[in-house]
């Protein structure tokens, strides 16, 4: 971690006692610069606490900024790469989903066939039991008479 970077894993607590939100400056002097700030503004009764996360750009020369952008540190290029990776992952997951849906349809069809076969076997068994009971009843009836 360089000296200019700050650990944003540890969230600040403002004087109001609330966890501070990570915000981004939209002012002309600090465009895009991130900071922790009280969740309520001073105008809305907040304490006005803030702490910069990103270093000031006043002490950075243009050549180091250009080198950062050339070396792939350009946030737009990183975001484009991330979007492309996410789109590829989405496409892969969609393909897997389609394959799994097809497998599920095949398994559902097999399940229906197995259930029908089982039901048919039960019907056949019930018929055998009925015939057996009929025979026993007839035998019993003729033994009595």
């Amino acid at each position: 971690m360089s000296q200019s970077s700050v650990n944003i894993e540890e969230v600040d607590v403002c004087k109001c006692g609330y966890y501070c939100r990570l915000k981004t400056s939209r002012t002309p002097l600090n465009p895009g610069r991130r900071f922790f700030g009280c969740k309520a503004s001073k105008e809305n009764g907040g304490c006005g606490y803030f702490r910069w996360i990103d270093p000031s750009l006043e002490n950075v020369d243009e050549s180091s900024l250009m080198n950062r952008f050339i070396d792939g540190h350009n946030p737009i290029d990183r975001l484009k790469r991330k979007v492309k990776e996410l789109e590829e992952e989405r496409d892969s997951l969609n393909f897997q989903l389609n394959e799994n849906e097809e497998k599920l349809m095949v398994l559902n069809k097999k399940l229906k066939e197995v259930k029908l076969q089982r039901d048919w076997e039960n019907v056949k068994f019930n018929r055998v039991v009925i015939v057996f009971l009929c025979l026993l009843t007839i035998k019993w009836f003729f033994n009595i008479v």
Side-chain angles (χ1 to χ4, degrees):
M1 188 184 312
S2 67
Q3 291 178 344
S4 63
S5 64
V6 176
N7 183 5
I8 62 172
E9 303 287 323
E10 298 174 18
V11 180
D12 290 0
V13 177
C14 70
K15 296 172 187 166
C16 300
Y18 297 109
Y19 287 109
C20 294
R21 293 183 177 161
L22 181 61
K23 301 178 181 183
T24 303
S25 172
R26 305 282 184 238
T27 64
L29 291 176
N30 296 298
R33 194 171 172 197
R34 298 175 304 162
F35 64 96
F36 280 121
C38 179
K39 73 179 196 176
S41 63
K42 264 191 171 177
E43 295 82 24
N44 292 331
C47 65
Y49 174 85
F50 80 91
R51 177 175 64 93
W52 292 113
I53 300 299
D54 296 327
S56 171
L57 295 177
E58 292 176 1
N59 301 328
V60 179
D61 62 357
E62 285 184 35
S63 64
S64 67
L65 285 176
M66 289 305 292
N67 287 339
R68 284 181 61 194
F69 285 113
I70 291 170
D71 292 341
H73 290 28
N74 182 344
I76 294 172
D77 289 341
R78 283 196 314 260
L79 289 173
K80 285 180 181 178
R81 283 193 302 271
K82 184 67 174 172
V83 166
K84 185 177 180 182
E85 290 171 6
L86 291 172
E87 286 173 344
E88 289 172 355
E89 183 179 0
R90 179 203 60 206
D91 293 343
S92 172
L93 290 172
N94 278 334
F95 179 76
Q96 290 176 2
L97 176 65
N98 290 336
E99 281 186 333
N100 288 335
E101 285 177 343
E102 290 173 8
K103 290 177 183 177
L104 180 62
M105 287 181 359
V106 168
L107 288 174
N108 279 333
K109 184 178 177 182
K110 286 182 180 179
L111 179 62
K112 284 181 182 180
E113 291 172 358
V114 166
K115 284 182 177 180
L116 284 173
Q117 182 66 30
R118 186 190 66 206
D119 290 346
W120 177 244
E121 294 294 326
N122 284 340
V123 166
K124 288 187 336 188
F125 178 75
N126 289 342
R127 284 182 179 172
V128 168
V129 169
I130 290 172
V131 168
F132 180 73
L133 290 175
C134 286
L135 290 173
L136 281 177
T137 305
I138 291 171
K139 182 178 185 221
W140 177 78
F141 179 74
F142 283 114
N143 281 343
I144 290 182
V145 177

